[in-house]
Amino acid sequence: MISAAADSRWVVLKFGGTSVSRRHRWENIGRLMSARQNEGLQVLTVVSALSGVTDALKAMAAQHGDAAAMAAGAEALIERHRGFALELGLASEFLNPRVDALRRLVSDVRAASGAFAWQAELLAQGELWSSTIGARFLASLGLDLQWLDARDYLTSREQAIQTDWSRYLSAICDPRPSVAIRDDLRARGSLFITQGFIARQPQGDTVLLGRGGSDTSASYFGALLGADRVEIWTDVPGMFSANPRLVPDARLLRQLDYDEAQEIATTGAKVLHPRAIAPVREVRVPLWIKDTERPDFPGTEISAESAAGAPSVKAISMRNGITLVSMESIGMWQQVGFLADVFGIFKRHGLSVDLIGSAETNVTVSLDPSDNLLDAGTLEALCSDLAQVCRVKVIAPCAAVTLVGRGMRGMMHRLSELLAEVGARRVHLVSQSSNNLNLTFVIDAADADGVVPSLHALLVRARLTGAEGDPVFGPAWRELEGLRPAPQPSWWHGVRPALLDHAGAGTPTYVYADSVIRARAQGLLDLGAVDRRYYAIKANPHPRILRRLAALGFGMECVSSGELAHIRQSLPELPLDQILFTPNFAARAEYQQALELGVHVTVDNLALLDDWAELWDGREILLRFDLGRGLGHHDKVKTGGEKSKFGIGLADLEQAVASARRAGAIIVGLHAHLGSGIFDVGHWKSVYSDLAALAERFPALRFVDIGGGLGVPHEPGEPALDLGELDAALAEVKAMYPRYQLWIEPGRYLVAEAGVLLARVNQTKRKSGAQFLGIDAGMHTLLRPALYEAWHEIVNLSRLDEPAAGRWQVVGPICESGDILGRDRLLPASAEGDVVLIANAGAYGASMASNYNLRGLVREVYDDSI
Ligand code: ADP
Ligand code: ASP
Ligand code: MG
C-alpha cells in the first residue's frame, strides 16, 4: 500500500558558514523556507557552522595536550555563540546544554591523545550550535519547524581503504531513498532544520564528512528524501569559470551536467564539495547553487541535462597543498608486479593517489590533502617503504591547475602553447583524464600565482567576447559585483582605420590625438583652486602640442636653454610671464640668459646664490625645496628625498633666507616637485601646505608651485585620478593661505594617454618555449620600459579582434638585452608586417627617443581629427 505521505515532495536547502553568521541572512533563510513551503514542498534545511567556527574547533583539537589553551578556545566559542544569540534577540539560556557539551569535550579523557573519534565529536559541535540557534530564531519568527539530529539519519559505511583518520574525519555515507523516513517526517511537520558535516557510524560514534562536507550532507538528504532538488545557498551566485575572488572576469556557469560539475568541484572549486554530486546524480535530483544575498538570481543548475554548445574549456581551477611522489625505477621496471607493489605500499599507508604520470623509468603520483592525512610521519613511513623498491623523491608543496570542459582531448594540440603559458615554470606532471573532461598540470606552488588568471584570460575570456545569451556562460563576477567596470575601450579602438593609415605612411610613428589632449587640459582648467597651469614641455615638446595648450591658457615650463628657445620659436606670442625656467645643475650662462629674457627662474641650489651673486641682484625668483620625501611609480622618477639631486633641503631654510637676502634676490615663489605618477590627492595637499607653511619666511612671496606628477592610469580599467577630490583637497589648503596663488606644472598627465606608438612586426621567433615579437620600435623609440620598467599596453592593431595565442616578449631591434618593450604579453598569432600599437606613449616617448644604433629618429603625427 502506498502511504499518503509517500507522494510528499521535498526540497533540501543548504546554507554555508557565511550564510548563517548574520541576522539578516537568517531572516532570508526563514523567508526562503516559507516560500518553498508555499510552493507545496516539504523543506529540510541543512546548515554549516558559523563561519570560522570549524577552523577554531580544529585549532582547539590541535592543542589537545594543552588543557588550558583548549579551555580558552572553548570559552571564546561560547562567548561568540552567546553573542550571536543576543544579536538574534534570543536570551541565551537555551544554549546551556551546548555549553556543557563543549566543556565536557575539553575535559574528556580522550583529549589527551587527540583521538580521531574525539576530534570528530569536537568538530561536530559547530553545526550543532548553529542549527540550535537557527532553529530557535526561526521559531521566534513564527516558523513551525523541527530540529533534527542529522546523525539519526546519516550512517557512515566502511570504505575500501579505511584509516582511523578517514573513518572519523572523512567519512562516506550511502543514503538510499527511504519512504519510511519521508513518511515519518511528513507526519511530524513540513519544516525541518538539521546539521551539515556530521553523521554517525553504525556503532554509534559521531563522524565527519570531510572539510566543507555540509554540501555533501545536503545531497545525502536529497537522495534520502527523493527531493525535487537540492539548493546550495552560499556567498557567490553560482559556480564560476574560475574562483571569482581570484579572477574577477570569471563567468557564471548557468548550467552544467553532473560530470562537468563533478570535475570542477573535484579540481578545486570550493563552492561545492566534491562528494556532493554522486548522491544526487544517482537519483537524478538536480542541484542548484545560489546566493543567499541575491535569492532571485538564477545561479547554477546542475542536472543530468547537458547544455548545447561547442566543446570548450568551461572552468579553470586550482588545488594547493599537493604533494608529488616521484619514483625512479632501480632496474625492476618491467618486472611483473612492480607497479602493484608500489601501489600496494600507498594502500598500506591508507593513501589515496590522485594523478599519475609515467615515463620510461619514472612514475610520479600526486596526493591531495583533502583525501589524505599528509603529515610528516605518514610521508616518512611511506618513503621508507617505497625506498625498498625504487628511488623516491617527494616534491612539495605543489599546485594542480586543471582545465575542465567537454573535449579536453581536443586541447592536446594546444598543449605546447599552454605550457608556454605556464612559461618558465616547472611542470612536474601533466595528466589528461580518461573521461576527456580534464587536463591537469602540476607545478611548484611558488609558481602558481597568476597562472589561473592568465589561463582564464587565454582560454575563457578571449573566447567569449560578446557571448550574450550563451546557454552556459552567464555574466562575469565583475559585472555582478558592480566591481570596477570592464575597462572602457581606449580612444584608439574607435579610430583603428585612421591609425593603420598613419602606420602605412611609415613606422615607427607616434600619433597624438588632439581630442584627448583637449580633454585632459579641460580637466585641469576645471580645478578651481589652481590659479596658473604650466605645461612641462619635456614630456613632449611637439610644437602642435605647445600651441594647443597655450591656446587653452597654459603657460610653459622648461628646463634648459634649448627648451626655452623652442618655446620662444613655437610660441612667439607667449608672454614671458607665462614661462617658467626650472633647470637642474645647468650652466651659469643658461640662468643668465633666462634672467635677461625675463622669464620666471627657479633656483634649487643655494651655492648659486652665493657664488653667482652678480646674477641675482633685484631679480624675482623661485626657490625649489626638497620636502624630504619622494613619490612615484619608480625610484627613477622620484625627485624628492635625501638622495635626490633636486631642491634645497628643508634644513637649509634659514640659510636660503640669508643667501637670498645677501644676493639681493626677491623670492616671489616656492616650488616643490616630488615625483611622477601619483594618485594620492593627499600628496599635493601636503606639498601645498608644507610649502605654504614656509611662506612667512619670504615676505615678498606671491605664489606656491606644487609641481606636477599627476598619475596617469597605465593599465586598462585602472581608475583615473579623481580631479574633483584633488580640487577639494587643494581648496582646503587655499582657504588657509588665501594670499598665495597656486600654480601647477603637469607634463605627463596632459599628453601620455593622447599618444600611441605604432610599429611594425619585423620578425617573430620561438626559443625554448618563449615567443618573441620583434618590432621596428625599440628602446631608441620608447625608453620608458628599459629606463623605468614602465608597463605600456601593447596590442596587435592589425588583429585587434583575434584571440590571444600565448605570451609574447615584445622586443625592439636594438643590440641591447634591455631592448624589451613588453614582457609576457597576451597577443594573437602575429606575423611580419602586422601593425603593433603601444598605448599611453604620448609622454616621454618621442622626447626621449634617440638615434642609437643609427636607426633614425621616430616620426610624429599630430592628428586634429582624432
Ligand atoms: P560555504 O561556506 O557557503 O560552503 P564556501 O566558502 O565553501 O562557502 O564556498 C564558496 C566559495 O568558493 C566562494 O566564496 C569562492 O571564493 C570559492 N570558489 C572557488 N572556486 C569557485 C568557483 N569556480 N565558482 C564559485 N566559487 C568558487
Ligand atoms: N563547517 C564545516 C567546515 O567548515 C563544513 C562546511 O562548512 O561545509 O568544513
Ligand atoms: Mg563550503
Side-chain angles (χ1 to χ4, degrees):
M1 191 188 89
I2 295 174
S3 132
D7 54 10
S8 58
R9 291 173 48 214
W10 285 83
V11 64
V12 177
L13 311 179
K14 178 261 168 175
F15 295 89
T18 52
S19 304
V20 297
S21 300
R22 302 296 307 277
R23 181 190 174 108
H24 73 276
R25 298 202 176 120
W26 273 104
E27 285 162 353
N28 275 355
I29 294 175
R31 269 195 291 276
L32 282 164
M33 289 178 76
S34 301
R36 296 295 178 265
Q37 186 183 29
N38 293 338
E39 288 170 33
L41 295 166
Q42 296 273 112
V43 184
L44 173 65
T45 290
V46 174
V47 291
S48 291
L50 306 191
S51 57
V53 166
T54 311
D55 288 335
L57 290 162
K58 201 172 163 211
M60 279 174 65
Q63 296 168 319
H64 58 79
D66 182 345
M70 275 207 306
E75 293 312 311
L77 281 176
I78 291 166
E79 264 324 288
R80 168 152 184 213
H81 286 96
R82 282 193 173 136
F84 187 51
L86 282 178
E87 183 188 330
L88 298 178
L90 306 171
S92 63
E93 284 70 36
F94 74 100
L95 287 172
N96 289 345
R98 298 258 55 88
V99 172
D100 295 342
L102 186 59
R103 289 186 179 144
R104 264 200 310 278
L105 280 161
V106 170
S107 50
D108 192 307
V109 284
R110 295 170 299 169
S113 69
F116 289 128
W118 168 81
Q119 288 194 26
E121 254 181 72
L122 180 65
L123 267 69
Q125 300 306 307
E127 272 66 11
L128 290 164
W129 282 98
S130 64
S131 59
T132 303
I133 295 174
R136 182 59 72 116
F137 176 69
L138 293 175
S140 79
L141 296 182
L143 268 70
D144 180 12
L145 85 170
Q146 324 262 326
W147 182 91
L148 305 178
D149 188 327
R151 294 168 293 186
D152 296 341
Y153 298 87
L154 301 181
T155 309
S156 65
R157 66 155 162 83
E158 277 295 297
Q159 298 169 46
I161 302 173
Q162 185 87 291
T163 60
D164 244 17
W165 177 81
S166 61
R167 177 177 293 119
Y168 284 105
L169 301 185
S170 185
I172 291 181
C173 305
D174 257 342
R176 300 271 132 228
S178 165
V179 173
I181 291 177
R182 282 167 71 120
D183 281 358
D184 173 50
L185 292 179
R186 172 67 188 257
R188 286 168 60 183
S190 56
L191 298 176
F192 300 87
I193 184 167
T194 193
Q195 311 75 42
F197 194 41
I198 66 176
R200 190 172 277 146
Q201 255 199 328
Q203 294 86 332
D205 284 351
T206 296
V207 298
L208 305 178
L209 305 178
R211 290 307 307 272
S214 295
D215 301 328
T216 308
S217 301
S219 279
Y220 286 158
F221 277 109
L224 188 79
L225 297 167
D228 277 20
R229 62 179 182 269
V230 171
E231 300 175 9
I232 304 285
W233 291 84
T234 182
D235 61 352
V236 284
M239 204 175 232
F240 280 71
S241 56
N243 183 351
R245 303 197 194 274
L246 277 181
V247 184
D249 287 312
R251 301 276 294 258
L252 173 72
L253 297 166
R254 301 185 215 263
Q255 203 190 337
L256 292 169
D257 63 31
Y258 291 121
D259 290 340
E260 291 168 321
Q262 177 69 64
E263 292 294 334
I264 298 174
T266 312
T267 57
K270 180 176 171 237
V271 64
L272 189 64
H273 194 262
R275 289 190 187 148
I277 309 257
V280 283
R281 168 208 283 190
E282 223 160 282
V283 289
R284 293 273 191 263
V285 172
L287 190 146
W288 294 358
I289 302 179
K290 294 182 55 97
D291 189 339
T292 314
E293 293 275 331
R294 277 179 272 217
D296 297 329
F297 191 79
T300 299
E301 182 171 350
I302 299 166
S303 69
E305 303 282 312
S306 182
S312 66
V313 176
K314 294 221 171 102
I316 300 168
S317 6
M318 181 164 85
R319 283 170 292 160
N320 278 312
I322 302 290
T323 295
L324 287 183
V325 182
S326 154
M327 293 159 287
E328 200 78 35
S329 106
I330 41 179
M332 296 174 283
W333 189 244
Q334 271 81 11
Q335 200 176 297
V336 173
F338 172 74
L339 282 178
D341 289 349
V342 164
F343 287 111
I345 295 171
F346 281 89
K347 180 176 175 185
R348 247 198 343 269
H349 290 276
L351 290 170
S352 133
V353 163
D354 182 25
L355 306 165
I356 306 176
S358 65
E360 212 152 308
T361 60
N362 175 285
V363 182
T364 299
V365 301
S366 75
L367 302 171
D368 187 325
S370 50
D371 299 328
N372 294 294
L373 175 67
L374 289 176
D375 58 5
T378 312
L379 280 175
E380 226 174 272
L382 171 81
C383 290
S384 95
D385 285 358
L386 285 172
Q388 310 292 318
V389 288
C390 58
R391 260 194 302 275
V392 53
K393 189 165 110 196
V394 172
I395 308 169
C398 291
V401 179
T402 305
L403 316 181
V404 180
R406 296 224 159 266
M408 279 305 101
R409 208 161 287 141
M411 294 295 300
M412 289 301 267
H413 74 277
R414 297 191 61 205
L415 194 60
S416 60
E417 179 197 315
L418 296 172
L419 287 174
E421 177 60 29
V422 273
R425 301 171 177 99
R426 274 188 66 192
V427 178
H428 295 292
L429 188 154
V430 178
S431 154
Q432 187 223 324
S433 66
S434 50
N435 63 8
N436 200 11
L437 273 172
N438 93 45
L439 188 61
T440 298
F441 309 94
V442 181
I443 57 178
D444 285 330
D447 289 342
D449 270 3
V451 171
V452 174
S454 322
L455 284 174
H456 190 272
L458 192 67
L459 297 173
V460 182
R461 198 178 70 187
R463 254 136 248 275
L464 278 178
T465 35
E468 277 308 304
D470 188 292
V472 176
F473 292 98
W477 168 260
R478 185 191 289 285
E479 290 166 54
L480 291 169
E481 283 301 285
L483 292 184
R484 230 158 64 192
Q488 282 285 325
S490 304
W491 60 267
W492 40 264
H493 281 267
V495 291
R496 185 166 163 253
L499 293 175
L500 289 172
D501 277 353
H502 284 309
T507 52
T509 297
Y510 281 101
V511 179
Y512 308 124
D514 183 62
S515 62
V516 183
I517 294 179
R518 270 189 287 129
R520 290 297 161 273
Q522 191 56 51
L524 299 186
L525 290 168
D526 290 343
L527 293 175
V530 175
D531 299 290
R532 277 202 196 182
R533 299 151 190 86
Y534 293 84
Y535 168 55
I537 75 157
K538 61 181 178 294
N540 190 330
H542 194 283
R544 296 288 308 276
I545 294 179
L546 304 198
R547 286 205 282 277
R548 160 59 70 208
L549 290 171
L552 290 170
F554 279 72
M556 299 289 141
E557 188 261 347
C558 58
V559 295
S560 71
S561 46
E563 282 192 351
L564 183 53
H566 179 70
I567 293 173
R568 300 283 292 144
Q569 192 184 352
S570 311
L571 302 167
E573 313 282 310
L574 188 71
L576 294 167
D577 176 45
Q578 297 283 334
I579 301 176
L580 262 176
F581 183 62
T582 319
N584 179 246
F585 290 103
R588 184 193 302 224
E590 290 190 65
Y591 289 87
Q592 190 160 11
Q593 184 197 12
L595 288 166
E596 277 164 12
L597 194 61
V599 301
H600 296 286
V601 174
T602 302
V603 169
D604 80 338
N605 178 0
L606 293 184
L608 309 194
L609 296 181
D610 297 332
D611 298 347
W612 303 342
E614 73 280 7
L615 288 190
W616 314 111
D617 194 22
R619 299 280 191 201
E620 296 193 338
I621 59 167
L622 291 86
L623 288 185
R624 174 172 182 170
F625 279 94
D626 176 347
L627 299 176
R629 57 189 185 273
L631 278 178
H633 57 79
H634 188 274
D635 274 348
K636 290 186 186 158
V637 299
K638 293 176 188 159
T639 51
E642 246 169 34
K643 296 204 181 97
S644 146
K645 68 175 183 138
F646 300 94
I648 300 163
L650 274 183
D652 297 331
L653 174 66
E654 288 315 316
Q655 195 195 331
V657 172
S659 296
R661 194 176 301 130
R662 262 196 313 276
I666 305 156
I667 309 302
V668 292
L670 294 182
H671 170 65
H673 171 78
L674 303 195
S676 163
I678 304 162
F679 285 87
D680 172 16
V681 299
H683 158 78
W684 287 279
K685 189 174 165 186
S686 69
V687 170
Y688 185 11
S689 53
D690 286 1
L691 279 180
L694 306 181
E696 61 181 23
R697 303 295 299 116
F698 302 97
L701 201 79
R702 297 203 299 271
F703 48 84
V704 168
D705 176 354
I706 59 170
L710 305 172
V712 174
H714 70 294
E715 282 191 46
E718 195 177 316
L721 176 70
D722 189 331
L723 288 180
E725 224 181 276
L726 175 64
D727 200 21
L730 297 177
E732 269 180 55
V733 185
K734 184 127 205 210
M736 290 191 288
Y737 299 97
R739 281 176 43 213
Y740 308 114
Q741 283 195 0
L742 172 62
W743 293 7
I744 57 171
E745 47 178 72
R748 190 157 186 267
Y749 183 82
L750 285 161
V751 292
E753 290 160 286
V756 292
L757 172 59
L758 303 176
R760 224 172 254 288
V761 175
N762 281 344
Q763 303 180 17
T764 62
K765 168 154 122 182
R766 260 180 189 282
K767 197 174 76 177
S768 347
Q771 299 188 99
F772 293 91
L773 191 69
I775 59 177
D776 60 8
M779 64 192 291
H780 63 308
T781 335
L782 180 65
L783 186 59
R784 298 186 77 248
L787 186 63
Y788 307 137
E789 287 144 51
W791 188 97
H792 285 261
E793 185 182 8
I794 302 180
V795 298
N796 184 327
L797 195 65
S798 305
R799 302 170 196 266
L800 205 49
D801 301 322
E802 291 182 25
R807 303 242 156 205
W808 295 79
Q809 315 306 317
V810 182
V811 298
I814 294 296
C815 292
E816 288 283 345
S817 49
D819 186 24
I820 299 170
L821 293 161
R823 294 175 201 272
D824 293 325
R825 299 310 176 85
L826 284 172
L827 290 168
S830 304
E832 182 185 350
D834 285 357
V835 175
V836 166
L837 177 148
I838 303 180
N840 276 8
Y844 302 102
S847 65
M848 283 189 171
S850 75
N851 194 20
Y852 186 36
N853 284 190
L854 300 188
R855 287 212 164 268
L857 275 178
V858 59
R859 284 177 67 229
E860 294 176 89
V861 178
Y862 190 93
D863 193 333
D864 282 316
S865 66
I866 54 178

